[in-house]
Amino acid sequence: MLPASIFSEEDVVLLAQYFLGKLLVTYLDGVLTSGRIVETEAYRGPEDQASHAYANKKTQRTRVMFEEGGKAYVYLCYGIHHLFNVVTGKAGVPHAVLVRAVEPVENVEVMLKRRRMEILTPRLTAGPGVLSQALGIQVAFSGVDMRKMHSHVWLEDRGEEVGVADILSSARVGVEYAKEHASLPWRFRIKDCRWTSPAP
DNA sequence: CGAATGATCGGCT
DNA sequence: GCCGATCATTCGA
């Protein structure tokens, strides 16, 4: 697990880059699957028009974003896809990092089965919706505290350092409605990594 | 209570 | 590349 204090960091744009190279792990029905995070996006709470918590909008769904950092925020997109975020910052500050792609690490066969795929390609886990399917992440996980043991989902540091020179930033996707905030370079990926979505 | 709307994906052209 | 799927959430009447 990552040290609990990490999640309280207030600079979510920095944290989105820090999470690159960390491991996203799930443990369901006695089966552990994991992936190395290779692509993320930062959503900067109340002032970010692309965030669900823009202008401190509190609803049943976004409630967990206002809790202390370290919670999982999972929601349904387009009625189909379960999108996984890490809530960050102090209580009351609704920052979040969306995990957009991982490199499959442990129990690839299980992930293939969950995705109903035969051969291993980046399509298995490149994309926020498909990575959740591969790791078995569902909206029911929303609110899980990843700072505590015995969660079904958590983050791990396996000692990999991702330097600034290895990180490529670009504009976030699917947020055209966010006006001037739509072009902010808050999407981060590991450079020359085949497990991310296609480079912009 | 009804209607619009996505932080997307995959299949088809 | 484009287009339709599909449904919880949200908002307005």
Side-chain angles (χ1 to χ4, degrees):
Chain A
M1 291 202 307
L2 254 43
S5 58
I6 287 290
F7 297 106
S8 303
E9 163 63 47
E10 300 199 56
D11 189 341
V12 65
V13 174
L14 205 62
L15 262 187
Q17 296 167 78
Y18 169 82
F19 285 147
L20 292 174
K22 301 298 180 284
L23 215 61
L24 175 58
V25 190
T26 60
Y27 186 69
L28 303 171
D29 300 320
V31 183
L32 186 142
T33 50
S34 69
R36 170 179 169 252
I37 298 174
V38 295
E39 186 175 338
T40 60
E41 274 178 7
Y43 285 87
R44 201 161 189 284
E47 71 260 33
D48 182 356
Q49 293 185 57
S51 169
H52 291 165
Y54 174 58
N56 282 312
K57 188 168 83 167
K58 284 195 184 94
T59 65
Q60 190 62 25
R61 181 177 67 159
T62 62
R63 193 189 73 253
V64 65
M65 294 183 79
F66 291 86
E67 294 179 22
E68 179 81 24
K71 300 283 172 65
Y73 171 50
V74 187
Y75 73 96
L76 193 66
C77 185
Y78 290 92
I80 310 173
H81 309 290
H82 300 251
L83 270 56
F84 172 82
N85 300 251
V86 181
V87 175
T88 71
K90 301 190 193 313
V93 184
H95 292 166
V97 174
L98 170 68
V99 178
R100 294 197 59 90
V102 304
E103 170 184 348
V105 177
E106 284 157 291
N107 267 319
V108 177
E109 333 71 71
V110 175
M111 293 194 249
L112 284 167
K113 205 168 175 182
R114 287 183 182 141
R115 294 267 293 119
R116 291 172 201 175
M117 289 174 57
E118 308 267 317
I119 23 171
L120 178 59
T121 69
R123 253 194 134 138
L124 178 68
T125 51
V130 297
L131 109 226
S132 290
Q133 193 181 2
L135 292 171
I137 295 172
Q138 313 153 42
V139 288
F141 287 21
S142 203
V144 166
D145 191 342
M146 297 188 288
R147 299 169 304 173
K148 294 190 172 143
M149 296 294 292
H150 314 303
S151 294
H152 285 304
V153 55
W154 66 90
L155 298 176
E156 274 183 34
D157 187 348
R158 301 246 171 131
E160 180 186 354
E161 293 284 332
V162 178
V164 184
D166 297 317
I167 299 175
L168 202 62
S169 59
S170 58
R172 297 172 296 179
V173 287
V175 296
E176 297 75 20
Y177 59 88
K179 301 179 187 173
E180 63 267 29
H181 299 256
S183 55
L184 292 169
W186 286 354
R187 180 188 196 183
F188 304 101
R189 65 178 67 226
I190 295 181
K191 201 184 281 181
D192 299 324
C193 176
R194 68 178 287 244
W195 298 102
T196 68
S197 53

